[in-house]
Amino acid sequence: MGWLGFGAAQLAAIGAIALLAFVVRGVSGFGSSMVGIGGLSLLLPPQQVVPAFLALELLTTAHLLPGVWRQIDWRSLRWVIGGCLLATPLGLTLLAGLDAGTMRLGVSLCLLVIAALMLSGLAQRWAPRQTPGPLGALAVGAVSGALNGAVGISGPPAIVFYFATTAAATSRATLIAYFLFTDVWALALAGGAGLLKSAALPLIVAALPWSLAGIWLGSRLYLRLDEAQLRRLVWWLLAALGAAGVANALRG
C-alpha cells in the first residue's frame, strides 16, 4: 500500500471526488455529501467514508458561516431545524422497515421531476411568492428529518423549499447553516455509535487538501454567477444527483 494505506489510483480518485464535491458545496451551499459520499463509497467501506466526510464538511465549510450570516433566513431555519430534530427519530422508528433502496429510488425520482418542472418553468405557476410560514417550514424539516432517519437523505426537501421560494443568495446562505447543523448532529450520533474510528482518519488526511481547494474554488465561482444562473445551476445539479441516485438504485 502507498501513502496512508491507499494506493496511487485510490489517492487520485479520493482527490478528484473530494475536489468536485466541495466545488459543488462552495457554489451552491449543498451537495457535497451526495457527491462525495456517493462517489467514495464506490471505493471504500461506507463505515469509513461517512464519518470521514462529515468531519471534512465541518473542517472545510464552517468558515463560510460568518460571511453569509446576515443573509441567513433565521426565521424559517429555526422551524426547519426543529422539524428535523423531531422527525428523525420518528423516521428511524416508522420507516426503517421499508426497503432503503426503494426509498432512495423514490427520492431520486422526485428530484428528477422537481428539477424538470423548475427548469421548464412550469413549477413557477404553483410555487409561492415567498417562503412559507412556520408551519410550512416545520413540515419541510419533518420530511427532511424523516428521510434522514429512514435512508440518510435529508437535503432535498430543504433545498427545494428554499430555492423554489427565496432569493438565491438567501437560499445558499441558509442551506450552508442548515447543513452545518445536520453535520454536527450526525457526527455526534456517529461518535456515540462508535463509528468515529481510526479508519476514518487516513481518509480525512488524504481528502482534506482537495476539499479545501474545492471549497475555495466553488466560492470564487459563486461570485461570478448572477441570480438566474445560480438558480438554474442548482436545478441542473439536482437533476444530475437524481439521475445518479436512480442509476445506483436500479443497479442495486
Side-chain angles (χ1 to χ4, degrees):
M1 277 292 186
W3 188 56
L4 297 171
F6 301 114
Q10 283 184 313
L11 286 171
I14 289 169
I17 292 169
L19 182 68
L20 175 61
F22 283 97
V23 166
V24 169
R25 181 70 167 253
V27 172
S28 65
F30 70 91
S32 54
S33 60
M34 288 181 273
V35 174
I37 293 176
L40 290 174
S41 293
L42 299 175
L43 306 172
L44 301 167
Q47 296 86 346
Q48 181 182 16
V49 171
V50 173
F53 212 84
L54 291 172
L56 285 169
E57 288 187 331
L58 288 178
L59 289 170
T60 55
T61 59
H63 76 282
L64 295 177
L65 198 58
V68 301
W69 190 267
R70 293 184 178 181
Q71 296 173 307
I72 296 171
D73 183 1
W74 291 107
R75 182 176 298 179
S76 65
L77 180 59
R78 62 188 178 184
W79 290 102
V80 174
I81 288 175
C84 182
L85 283 171
L86 289 172
T88 298
L90 185 64
L92 288 168
T93 302
L94 297 179
L95 302 179
L98 297 177
D99 179 68
T102 302
M103 286 289 293
R104 290 193 178 95
L105 177 60
V107 172
S108 298
L109 286 171
C110 286
L111 284 183
L112 275 174
V113 171
I114 291 168
L117 289 172
M118 297 304 294
L119 286 167
S120 68
L122 293 175
Q124 303 305 321
R125 301 177 183 178
W126 309 306
R129 297 301 178 185
Q130 58 185 7
T131 305
L135 288 179
L138 189 67
V140 168
V143 175
S144 179
L147 286 173
N148 191 43
V151 291
I153 301 174
S154 65
I159 295 164
V160 174
F161 175 70
Y162 282 110
F163 271 102
T165 63
T166 311
T170 301
S171 300
R172 176 179 179 269
T174 308
L175 288 171
I176 286 172
Y178 176 63
F179 287 122
L180 280 175
F181 158 75
T182 58
D183 286 344
V184 169
W185 192 32
L187 203 56
L189 293 175
L195 295 177
L196 290 177
K197 300 177 181 179
S198 57
L201 296 178
L203 180 56
I204 294 171
V205 174
L208 184 58
W210 300 100
S211 303
L212 290 169
I215 204 74
W216 179 86
L217 180 58
S219 298
R220 296 303 177 276
L221 291 174
Y222 163 73
L223 296 175
R224 296 176 177 269
L225 299 174
D226 61 26
E227 171 91 9
Q229 288 174 324
L230 178 59
R231 198 177 294 277
R232 194 164 185 82
L233 177 63
V234 164
W235 300 128
W236 276 113
L237 175 59
L238 281 185
L241 293 172
V246 170
N248 287 333
L250 293 177
R251 193 168 58 235

